[in-house]
Amino acid sequence: MSISFLMKKYYDNISQKKSGKLMLKYYDELLYFSFKLVGDKEKAKDVIQEAYSRFLEIKGKYEINNERAYLYKIAKNIVVQEALENQKLQSTIYEENLSFAPEYEQPEEILIQEDQEKIFMQIIDELPPRTKEAYILYTIDGYSRKEIAQKLDITSNAVEKLIKRASIKVEEELQKRGF
């Protein structure tokens, strides 16, 4: 190894230590500042990370007299830039969305939903009569387990077992059919 390589490695190591100290020195106050701007701690952490990254890129090229103020300015600029980008995305209106019905009203979606409902009802029809009745009363008609027990003249535990068996069977059949 050459002396110049070792010297570069030494100075890089010192530079990284200084950068790490700088980050630790202002981290908490920058986190608070960024959090106040974005309202989300994880997003604030991302802003700080990006600010330090930009700061380190610039620091080698220019002399910075007030590192703290510069970090604050970078963080604020990042938040403003992202807000402007989000605003542009939200304000963009596609003409095709204005002239068409919502997705759930599209003929293709209606047909798909009708097919899914038919398959679901076929699966329910394949259940044993008592299981089918309990399942329909519970999932479709909205009866409680206690009400179903009274209606079918069985215990709540029996209702629970019927519903559980039906749910498992329906789920298995839906998976078999690709849903």
Side-chain angles (χ1 to χ4, degrees):
M1 281 195 239
S2 70
I3 297 283
S4 61
F5 175 77
L6 291 173
M7 295 282 288
K8 182 178 177 349
K9 205 152 175 69
Y10 172 75
Y11 286 115
D12 285 347
N13 192 19
I14 289 173
S15 177
Q16 285 177 346
K17 285 181 182 177
K18 285 182 181 177
S19 299
K21 286 181 184 177
L22 173 72
M23 188 168 180
L24 291 174
K25 185 175 181 181
Y26 302 118
Y27 183 81
D28 289 335
E29 63 184 273
L30 274 171
L31 180 62
Y32 180 75
F33 175 75
S34 298
F35 177 75
K36 292 289 253 181
L37 293 174
V38 297
D40 178 68
K41 191 172 184 178
E42 293 304 314
K43 183 69 178 153
K45 287 179 182 179
D46 291 343
V47 168
I48 293 170
Q49 183 175 353
E50 180 64 23
Y52 276 111
S53 175
R54 290 183 187 182
F55 178 83
L56 292 174
E57 286 178 23
I58 294 168
K59 187 178 179 185
K61 296 176 185 175
Y62 305 102
E63 184 180 333
I64 300 170
N65 294 329
N66 188 342
E67 294 174 336
R68 181 177 174 264
Y70 203 75
L71 282 166
Y72 271 81
K73 186 70 173 171
I74 294 171
K76 185 175 180 182
N77 288 345
I78 291 168
V79 172
V80 169
Q81 181 182 6
E82 288 181 5
L84 289 173
E85 288 172 4
N86 286 339
Q87 187 178 17
K88 285 179 189 174
L89 284 174
Q90 291 174 356
S91 65
T92 302
I93 299 174
Y94 298 101
E95 288 182 27
E96 60 192 45
N97 289 342
L98 295 174
S99 62
F100 291 114
E103 185 176 326
Y104 64 88
E105 291 180 3
Q106 297 291 328
E108 183 179 309
E109 289 298 317
I110 292 171
L111 288 173
I112 291 171
Q113 187 171 353
E114 286 175 357
D115 287 345
Q116 290 172 343
E117 288 172 5
K118 284 179 188 174
I119 291 169
F120 182 70
M121 292 311 291
Q122 286 174 348
I123 292 169
I124 290 175
D125 283 341
E126 294 169 3
L127 295 172
R130 198 85 158 152
T131 306
K132 174 179 156 182
E133 189 175 4
Y135 187 73
I136 289 173
L137 288 171
Y138 182 73
T139 58
I140 297 173
D141 296 337
Y143 284 86
S144 70
R145 289 175 173 90
K146 190 175 184 178
E147 292 171 327
I148 296 169
Q150 291 171 349
K151 192 170 183 97
L152 298 180
D153 196 30
I154 56 176
T155 67
S156 292
N157 285 343
V159 171
E160 181 70 33
K161 287 178 184 177
L162 289 172
I163 292 171
K164 188 169 185 156
R165 282 187 204 139
S167 296
I168 291 170
K169 182 68 174 171
V170 168
E171 190 174 322
E172 286 173 354
E173 287 297 319
L174 286 173
Q175 285 179 351
K176 283 181 188 176
R177 298 176 190 199
F179 291 99

